[in-house]
Amino acid sequence: MSTDQAQTESPAAPADPDARRTPRRGWLIPLLLRLHFYAGILIGPFILVAALSGAFYALTPTLEKLVYAQELTAPVSAQTQPLAAQVRAAQDVVGESGTLAGVWPAPEPGSTTRVLFRAAELRAGESRAIFIDPGTAQVRGDLTVYSSNGELPLRTWSSSLHSNLNLGEPGRIYSELAASWLGIVVLAGAALWVQRLLKARRKKELLRPSRKGSGYRKLFSWHASLGVWVLFGALFLSATGITWSQFAGENVSAVRGALDWKTPSISTRLDGEAPAEAGGHGGHGAEATSPATVDPADFDRVLGAARNAGIDAPRIQIKVPAAADRAWTVNELEGGNPADADQVAIDPRSFEVTDRLAFADFSPAAKLTKWAIALHMGTLFGLANQILLFLTALGIAAMTALGYLMWWKRRPTRPAGVVDAQRGGSRFGRAVPSGKLAKAPWWGVLSVVLAGAVLGIFLPLVGLSLIAFVLLDTLVNARRGQ
């Protein structure tokens, strides 16, 4: 057994255990061990909350079907009312308190149509949805939905809890710390696992938890073997989670833009009608000249034009023109397959297709992004995707809890006075030895500094917290007289 392994496995506390167990050669593994320890201890609460809230969110696409069965389902009927009749029924409910924004026609027998409205009291991304029985045009419900995925209140709440603890923009710092550090902690742990695998006599014990032993050794066995099974899932959730983060997410968007990896968008400009330019930014600022006036009967005409144009997915969204000089858009809702993302733009006067955007035309990077987002949100393969996410999230949470239990098991157990004299006052689980970087070769120090600088630039919160770790480590060592 190597000295590195010994220092991680044995809870014994000799007079100067750190000094005795510090390997005389090598610096990278002890450095990774120290990084794994500090990041796990200090960022662990963020990762634990993100994992548990993510586990709950993973199941909400299925849960909302149960919770909102009244709104989402309707008796199967042999006849279907025109969209115009369904839209008028919704307008009777909303009156002047909302502006018609779009319709999700009922995708299958037994489901309802959603008629969406914008309203001043709603937050960005929210719409008021009136759920209509397509067979009778009777109202089945009235809920606030969120995002282009049409998330219902339960899923919206759990999504906000997962991303910002329902604290708004300030709360996003927590999820960014969790997503950014999760990948680093996992990679450091994987390197330690490989190092241990190379030296282990019974390698299979590194793939499954050992039933032998007790205390710290048994906790370590569960922590190490469970980490292997959640490794790729944790890295995937970390990488995709960063894309939604506040600061690092902007860097990701900048990189995607520079490499032309962004998801393309359909043009709603009408032929022969150049939009007003605004501030030299590609006409994004003042495109709308006046609100579009919508006749409910137009929804049926637009739907027919879209079906004739090849929009054949059962789940679609019809969006009213943003302005009088803009086209309608009809897009396939991805559901369980991001490839169902074709869109068309339709002229409100002639009902002819003015633009088309097919998923097949996306760049490989844009396609990969769509698949990754759907997988992270649990919508790619339906319930199977949700269960996989749920188990992975629980695995990450268990890894975090096991790490804390290991730390606690390694705490000094002798009287406080003796411990204080030997440990510089520490009564908690001890950290792994420090000072290895100072003994590294110049190229090793340079590599660590460069890696830290890159992380600090691309993942700003990681950079700041890394500085905090170094300061904390320096203070702890100074207090211990090292």
Side-chain angles (χ1 to χ4, degrees), residues 3-4 21-30 199 436 439:
T3 50
D4 284 344
R21 291 169 182 164
T22 301
R24 295 183 178 180
R25 293 187 300 175
W27 58 274
L28 181 58
I29 293 300
K199 298 180 179 179
K436 285 298 176 182
K439 301 176 182 177

Side-chain angles (χ1 to χ4, degrees), residues 22 98 222 292 298 301 381 457 481:
T22 301
W222 277 89
D298 287 349
R301 301 187 184 102
F381 300 118
I457 294 173

Side-chain angles (χ1 to χ4, degrees), residues 74-86:
V76 177
S77 175
Q79 296 182 340
T80 301
Q81 297 294 320
L83 287 179
Q86 300 180 54

Side-chain angles (χ1 to χ4, degrees), residues 224-236:
S225 55
L226 183 58
V228 174
W229 289 103
V230 302
L231 173 67
F232 292 106
L235 290 177
F236 170 78

Side-chain angles (χ1 to χ4, degrees), residues 88-103:
R88 291 191 181 98
Q91 287 179 316
D92 290 341
V93 175
V94 176
E96 300 297 326
S97 62
T99 303
L100 187 59
V103 167

Side-chain angles (χ1 to χ4, degrees), residues 62-324:
T62 296
L63 290 176
E64 66 181 9
K65 293 179 182 178
L66 302 175
V67 175
Y68 303 107
Q70 166 66 25
E71 290 81 3
L72 295 175
T73 61
V76 177
S77 175
Q79 296 182 340
T80 301
Q81 297 294 320
L83 287 179
Q86 300 180 54
V87 170
R88 291 191 181 98
Q91 287 179 316
D92 290 341
V93 175
V94 176
E96 300 297 326
S97 62
T99 303
L100 187 59
V103 167
W104 290 22
E108 57 192 4
S111 61
T112 54
T113 294
R114 298 188 194 188
V115 184
L116 305 175
F117 295 86
R118 292 188 295 270
E121 67 273 16
L122 297 177
R123 298 178 299 175
E126 290 184 339
S127 301
R128 181 179 177 183
I130 306 299
F131 296 80
I132 303 295
D133 181 340
T136 62
Q138 293 181 339
V139 175
R140 297 281 297 179
D142 182 352
L143 295 172
T144 298
V145 298
Y146 177 72
S147 84
S148 59
N149 295 314
E151 297 175 354
L152 301 179
L154 175 64
R155 196 176 177 196
T156 302
W157 180 84
S158 65
S159 174
S160 181
L161 177 69
H162 180 56
S163 62
N164 59 42
L165 299 177
N166 283 314
L167 296 175
E169 286 298 312
R172 293 178 65 187
I173 293 176
Y174 120 81
S175 60
E176 181 160 352
L177 278 170
S180 302
W181 273 105
L182 175 61
I184 298 172
V185 173
V186 168
L187 286 175
L192 297 172
W193 184 88
V194 170
Q195 182 258 355
R196 181 179 175 83
L197 179 70
L198 295 175
K199 298 180 179 179
R201 294 180 178 177
R202 297 182 178 180
K203 300 185 187 301
K204 64 180 181 181
E205 292 186 355
L206 292 173
L207 292 172
R208 65 185 185 190
S210 174
R211 297 180 180 179
K212 301 177 182 178
S214 60
Y216 178 89
R217 189 178 183 84
K218 194 167 188 177
L219 291 172
F220 179 82
S221 173
W222 277 89
H223 182 83
S225 55
L226 183 58
V228 174
W229 289 103
V230 302
L231 173 67
F232 292 106
L235 290 177
F236 170 78
L237 292 176
S238 172
T240 50
I242 288 173
T243 63
W244 280 294
S245 63
Q246 188 172 5
F247 302 106
E250 293 180 359
N251 293 333
V252 173
S253 297
V255 171
R256 290 182 61 199
L259 298 175
D260 196 22
W261 286 355
K262 284 197 170 181
T263 302
S265 58
I266 195 169
S267 172
T268 60
R269 294 183 176 182
L270 300 177
D271 291 341
E273 296 183 13
E277 296 292 333
H281 290 85
H284 294 297
E287 292 184 349
T289 55
S290 61
T293 300
V294 177
D295 180 350
D298 287 349
F299 281 95
D300 293 291
R301 301 187 184 102
V302 170
L303 177 60
R307 293 302 190 197
N308 291 334
I311 301 297
D312 54 4
R315 297 181 73 244
I316 63 171
Q317 179 183 32
I318 305 172
K319 297 176 68 175
V320 304

